[in-house]
Structures are given as structure tokens and as C-alpha cells.
Amino acid sequence: MKNLENIPTKSDKISHHGYHRFYERFLAPFVGKNILMLELGYENGYSIELWKKYFEEVRIHSIDISENPNDARIEKYYQIDQSCNEQLENFTKNNLEKYDFIIDDASHVPLHQWETFVRFFEILKDGGIYIIEDVETSFWKQSEIFGYQFNSDEFSLFQKIPKIWEAINQEFIENAEKQVEGFSQEQKTIDQIESVFIGTNCIIFEKKSDKNKHYYRANVDYRHKGFINFKKSEQFKKKSFFSKIFK
Ligand SMILES: C[S@@+](CC[C@H](N)C(=O)[O-])C[C@H]1O[C@@H](n2cnc3c(N)ncnc32)[C@H](O)[C@@H]1O
């Protein structure tokens, strides 16, 4: 099996962050396949080399606020400012291709990470994987990174976890208890999440897929009825107690 950890790289994804501990369980099915991925955050292109070596057949699109580095390993490069929602929306509107895998390693500002996710999850293929790296910033108080000032007391990715948890499990929630969110872009995105995995300094989202659509029920009333179960289990206990004594 191909192993991210064994690929020599100058990117800090492995040596410092140890992201391979989490990524391989989601990315291994893409190895050797003709996939299309998008990475936000180019810098020196170190991670481009890592992805090329890991996936082998991958086509890579790259986004950064900096000028085009003219890197032949990248199929398409887009100079986009992740802090500008209008630029993010223009990208999703104009880009007709959908990605198997999107990874956000750009500004690391929690609000940018979230606003990008809300818009870019739509251009991920069904069953695709979306990773947000460096979510440590969601714990930082007054801070600065790449010239952006932020404070996790004002916005943190982890504020969104209860909403995601509820959306993924919505079929088990009584209608009256559901938070009515309307049809915001954010809710539309959250409703497309199949699963979420939280690793050290990263969040991995898996997108729903048509092949699983029979599981996406809005509300099915088959919750276990506590009283009936209680009675059943009492009977069961008695039965097993007596069956042990009078064998
Ligand atoms: C951590 S580096 C990317 C590292 C690279 N992925 C790797 O592993 O080798 C972050 C990059 O995000 C870019 N960046 C910072 N703010 C940005 C913004 N608002 N929009 C897009 N890119 C941004 C920086 O120019 C920098 O190249």
C-alpha cells in the first residue's frame, strides 16, 4: 500500500503535522486513479510534489493569492483571494469541473476557511473529500496570520460542529426540536455532509453520494420506545436468570 509518510517531501504536512495519520484512510482509494484535486495554498509548491507522488495520476488545480508561479505540474492555477467571498463565488460559478478532493491550506483564518468550505463543497464530486488544514487557529485568541487579524472568540470553526452533528443525524430528531434554518447556502452545504472526522489540526469532510441516497431519510419514526424496551429487557433478565438456575 502507498504510504504518504514514506514519500520524501519538504512540506510540513508529514514531518511536523503528521497529517498522514488521518489522511490515508480517506485518500487511499484515490491512489492510482485519474482524479482531479484542488489545493488552496501554493507557497513553494512543496505539497504539489507530495500529491503528485502519492496519487500518481492526479490532475492538480491550485489557488493562491500570489501570482501564477507557472508550475508545469499544475494543470490550472487561479490567483484568488480567499478572504473575498465574491472571488470565491465567481470561481464556483465559472468553473465547470468538479473535484474528487479539495484541500484548504491557504490563509488559515477560521472565517476564510468556513466561507470557502460553504461555497466550495458544491464543486466537490459526490462522495468526494474536503480537508481543512491548520484548524489550530480556531483556538487562537487575538492573532495575526498572513497579515489578517482575527480572534477565535469572535468566530471559530468549532461553533459549527453542533449544526453539523444535527444535520448528519437529522432523521432522529423530532420535527419540533429541529432548528429551522431555512435554505441558506450554509445550510445547503451542511446538508451535503456525509461524515466529518476531526484529527489533530485538521477536519475532514466526506460528501454525500447518490449511491447512498436510500439512507438519507428526513424523518423516520422508529426510535426505540424506552418503556417497551425496559419491559422487554426486564423479561429477558428474568428469563436468563431462571434459565441459568433451572438448566
Ligand atoms: C501554508 S502556505 C501553503 C503551503 C503548501 N500547501 C505546502 O504544503 O507546501 C499558505 C499559502 O496561502 C496563501 N494565502 C494566504 N492568504 C491567502 C488568501 N487570502 N487567499 C489565497 N491564498 C492565500 C499564501 O500566499 C501561501 O502561499
Side-chain angles (χ1 to χ4, degrees):
M1 199 187 77
K2 201 78 178 284
N3 203 311
L4 267 170
E5 197 181 10
N6 296 335
I7 299 173
T9 175
K10 288 187 194 153
S11 167
D12 62 0
K13 286 186 189 328
I14 311 300
S15 57
H16 176 65
H17 295 294
Y19 288 140
H20 59 284
R21 292 172 290 162
F22 318 114
Y23 289 3
E24 275 165 7
R25 56 188 102 178
F26 296 94
L27 301 182
F30 295 143
V31 172
K33 307 251 171 72
N34 184 9
I35 65 153
L36 179 63
M37 72 166 279
L38 170 69
E39 183 164 52
L40 291 106
Y42 174 84
E43 202 172 45
N44 306 307
Y46 293 156
S47 50
I48 302 295
E49 191 184 325
L50 181 67
W51 300 130
K52 279 274 174 198
K53 285 183 179 158
Y54 181 59
F55 293 122
E56 293 161 10
E57 298 296 322
V58 65
R59 291 185 294 131
I60 304 179
H61 292 182
S62 175
I63 284 179
D64 202 286
I65 199 167
S66 311
E67 268 181 30
N68 191 342
N70 293 312
D71 184 328
R73 298 166 302 175
I74 295 172
E75 190 182 76
K76 287 184 187 165
Y77 181 85
Y78 302 90
Q79 187 174 10
I80 288 174
D81 177 354
Q82 186 189 22
S83 71
C84 174
N85 291 343
E86 202 186 333
Q87 290 189 29
L88 297 175
E89 276 156 23
N90 283 340
F91 179 75
T92 57
K93 258 187 237 146
N94 298 329
N95 194 342
L96 299 175
E97 294 187 271
K98 287 206 167 185
Y99 298 96
D100 298 276
F101 168 42
I102 299 177
I103 181 160
D104 181 354
D105 183 22
S107 80
H108 308 332
V109 175
L111 193 59
H112 301 172
Q113 292 168 324
W114 182 251
E115 296 290 356
T116 306
F117 170 70
V118 163
R119 287 162 180 82
F120 280 25
F121 207 55
E122 198 186 328
I123 53 166
L124 188 68
K125 285 184 194 166
D126 280 7
I129 300 298
Y130 191 108
I131 297 180
I132 307 179
E133 283 190 344
D134 297 279
V135 296
E136 62 194 299
T137 48
S138 273
F139 295 101
W140 295 0
K141 302 300 173 194
Q142 190 58 48
S143 312
E144 188 176 317
I145 193 164
F146 292 111
Y148 300 103
Q149 304 235 332
F150 67 97
N151 185 340
S152 68
D153 281 343
E154 285 157 17
F155 181 82
S156 144
L157 289 178
F158 298 99
Q159 289 167 7
K160 301 294 180 185
I161 296 297
K163 267 184 150 195
I164 295 171
W165 156 256
E166 181 174 306
I168 290 176
N169 289 291
Q170 60 170 293
E171 69 171 291
F172 310 114
I173 305 168
E174 297 274 347
N175 274 335
E177 289 168 12
K178 277 187 183 158
Q179 315 256 331
V180 181
E181 289 289 341
F183 295 100
S184 65
Q185 179 63 40
E186 177 177 286
Q187 194 58 42
K188 224 173 113 194
T189 296
I190 289 177
D191 286 340
Q192 284 306 306
I193 299 172
E194 172 94 329
S195 73
V196 57
F197 175 97
I198 299 179
T200 313
N201 216 0
C202 63
I203 307 185
I204 305 175
F205 299 95
E206 183 190 3
K207 190 169 174 177
K208 282 182 177 168
S209 141
D210 220 36
K211 74 174 169 39
N212 291 336
K213 69 171 183 240
H214 51 287
Y215 296 117
Y216 306 145
R217 295 167 290 235
N219 195 318
V220 180
D221 187 18
Y222 61 72
R223 23 167 104 189
H224 301 295
K225 302 288 180 227
F227 181 65
I228 296 168
N229 277 349
F230 173 74
K231 274 173 76 175
K232 268 195 196 147
S233 60
E234 283 305 300
Q235 276 170 1
F236 177 74
K237 265 193 231 153
K238 277 182 204 152
K239 217 172 138 192
S240 51
F241 174 71
F242 288 117
S243 56
K244 267 184 211 151
I245 294 179
F246 305 110
K247 228 189 267 175

